[in-house]
Amino acid sequence: MSDAVVRTEEWRRPAGTLLGILGVAAAYYATGRIGLLLRVVVEGAEVTPLWLPTGIAVAALLWFGPRIWPGIALGTYLVIEHLSSFRIEDLGIVLGNTLAPLCAYLLLRRVGFHTEIDRLRDGLALVFLGGLVPMLISASIGTGVLVATGDLAPSGFWPVWSAWWAGDAMGVLVATPVLLVLPTVRMPEDAYRVAEAVALGVATGLGAFMASRSSLSLLFLVFPLLIWAAVRFQLAGSAPCVLIMSVVVISAATDQAGPFADHTLFEIMVNLQALNGSAALTALLLSAMVTEQNNIRLKIEQVCEDLAEVVERLAPRRPGD
């Protein structure tokens, strides 16, 4: 029985499930508070370009199953209560923010998603079935509630909807891979490889900071670093680098610094989400492809070794051998 199965069985116990629900709620609320630090106002509504709690919700469901969904609902309630007094109409937002990750979980389970993201199909599934498609639910319900309650004018539906959807989808593309890879991360034994990993993380942070704060359009410089991370360290390297890059660039965008200066909020959001989405896709899919190719090579080497042993056994013995 695998560790994942044992872990799931343990969380099915009532006490374990309750702790899981409370843990997910706490993580959702804590990362929601962090995400709100980078919020922007679109048509009078507060939205975030990167909503990390959605990524936490999807990862928690993949780890422990749908039994922990109350933790997602409770976390959403706590975030709303932090912003303003909770109203009965806000139950719609809680519903949307809970249904979207559940839909992502069901779709990913349907296609046989591997949490190791060791195949190209897993990377594609997380992008489309885990992020882009199911987050239409939370964006549609949440924005619809704002319009229905009069907190948002009907003319502002699409700008807020697009920002809401992009933020939730980016939360899955950025946060979920980091969380899924954490249990498998091992410290490299080679000191040079450790130094390379540290240098990569520092270079990503500094590179993203310089590119996002410079008046020149140098944001494309982050891609060689993400490719380096994906090729050399696969998901264990590319996922944290994407997270670092996204947080640094979003901070510059909310400050309207560097290449984001002298642009409208809509233009900033489009450029920001295009960059974050392209970076996440590049790192996630490339790391999945490299991992898949490495696994294929290892299987071929193992088959060759087994075949060599069989041939050695079947080869006729010479006299005196």
Side-chain angles (χ1 to χ4, degrees):
M1 183 178 292
S2 66
D3 293 339
V5 174
V6 172
R7 185 171 61 234
T8 302
E9 290 295 333
E10 291 176 350
W11 282 87
R12 284 178 178 172
R13 300 170 185 172
T17 301
L18 178 59
L19 288 176
I21 291 172
L22 295 177
V24 170
Y28 194 104
Y29 174 68
T31 53
R33 291 287 300 271
I34 295 173
L36 290 174
L37 296 176
L38 300 175
R39 64 183 181 269
V40 294
V41 179
V42 179
E43 300 292 334
E46 294 183 344
V47 294
T48 58
L50 176 63
W51 189 239
L52 294 175
T54 306
I56 290 177
V58 173
L61 289 168
L62 290 171
W63 277 337
F64 308 122
R67 291 172 179 255
I68 53 87
W69 71 262
I72 303 172
L74 177 58
T76 305
Y77 163 79
L78 293 175
V79 172
I80 296 174
E81 182 67 25
H82 169 70
L83 288 173
S84 61
S85 298
F86 189 85
R87 302 170 301 177
I88 189 65
E89 309 92 82
D90 293 331
L91 286 175
I93 297 177
V94 173
L95 176 65
N97 283 18
T98 305
L99 285 179
L102 279 172
C103 179
Y105 164 77
L106 293 174
L107 289 174
L108 292 174
R109 286 292 301 271
R110 180 74 176 177
V111 299
F113 175 76
H114 289 183
T115 55
E116 298 84 3
I117 315 182
D118 54 0
R119 304 171 300 176
L120 178 59
R121 60 179 293 187
D122 297 323
L124 291 171
L126 183 61
V127 170
F128 293 99
L129 301 183
L132 300 182
V133 173
M135 297 309 133
L136 296 171
I137 298 174
S138 56
S140 300
I141 295 179
T143 310
V145 169
L146 294 180
V147 173
T149 56
D151 294 330
L152 177 66
S155 60
F157 178 88
W158 290 113
V160 173
W161 179 91
S162 59
W164 195 313
W165 171 72
D168 281 1
M170 285 308 306
V172 176
L173 298 185
V174 172
T176 300
V178 174
L179 295 173
L180 293 181
V181 79
L182 279 180
T184 65
V185 172
R186 299 292 182 271
M187 182 65 68
E189 297 180 0
D190 187 353
Y192 290 102
R193 195 162 176 81
V194 174
E196 181 184 1
V198 173
L200 176 60
V202 173
T204 300
L206 290 178
F209 180 83
M210 295 175 62
S212 61
R213 297 285 173 171
S214 171
S215 58
L216 302 176
S217 298
L218 300 176
L219 292 174
F220 62 88
L221 292 179
V222 301
F223 285 93
L225 295 170
L226 297 178
I227 293 172
W228 173 19
V231 172
R232 291 289 292 157
F233 298 96
Q234 288 77 65
L235 192 64
S238 63
C241 286
V242 170
L243 178 59
I244 293 171
M245 185 277 300
S246 296
V247 172
V248 172
V249 174
I250 288 173
S251 176
T254 54
D255 293 340
Q256 295 187 334
F260 300 103
D262 303 322
H263 289 284
T264 65
L265 180 59
F266 177 76
E267 292 171 339
I268 291 174
M269 292 295 293
V270 169
N271 291 329
L272 177 62
Q273 299 303 353
L275 173 66
N276 284 339
S278 299
L281 282 170
T282 299
L284 185 60
L285 297 185
L286 182 57
S287 62
M289 289 177 61
V290 173
T291 300
E292 186 173 24
Q293 293 300 316
N294 289 342
N295 290 338
I296 292 174
R297 177 178 55 81
L298 292 175
K299 289 179 181 178
I300 292 175
E301 291 177 354
Q302 184 62 47
V303 170
C304 290
E305 291 177 2
D306 295 341
L307 183 59
E309 292 179 1
V310 172
V311 171
E312 185 178 354
R313 292 196 197 100
L314 297 179
R317 300 281 182 177
R318 296 178 182 179
D321 288 348

